Amino acid sequence: HRMAGRRGRGRRQEGSGSPDGRRGVRGEKNSVALIVSGCANPTISDIVRGSYVLHASNHGKVVYRKEQKAKGLDVLVYYWDDRDGAELNGWWFGPSVGGDQVW
């Protein structure tokens, strides 16, 4: 389950910066690009529910940032490739790219 648990240490962000020009991504930086309606866990749903804008890139994919902070934290949606194993490969919610805290 990608919305709970902790990630391993030593993660690093790759290629932060504007995602402009990425295939399959429409809209300008700071325009709504993703809307998350929630999830089955009400506590996590309160954190992740909202509108997300293009923010940066990581592992060749766009990073989205929630427009409003949740409990004082940024909420990002980012992709992690399989360089650290198949179990960590996929899309994650967290306050930082590759950090230990994920939802």
Side-chain angles (χ1 to χ4, degrees), residues 16-81:
S16 63
S18 175
D20 294 352
R22 297 259 180 233
R23 287 184 211 154
V25 177
R26 296 184 187 266
E28 298 294 321
K29 194 169 182 176
N30 297 322
S31 67
V32 174
L34 176 70
I35 297 173
V36 175
S37 59
C39 70
N41 181 305
T43 302
I44 295 172
S45 187
D46 287 344
I47 295 169
V48 301
R49 182 178 40 242
S51 298
Y52 290 73
V53 295
L54 303 177
H55 176 65
S57 64
N58 187 66
H59 293 187
K61 307 280 186 192
V62 171
V63 174
Y64 301 94
R65 181 183 47 80
K66 188 176 171 185
E67 289 186 306
Q68 302 292 321
K69 291 187 178 205
K71 301 182 181 187
L73 296 172
D74 282 326
V75 181
L76 305 176
V77 178
Y78 63 93
Y79 180 78
W80 199 263
D81 65 18

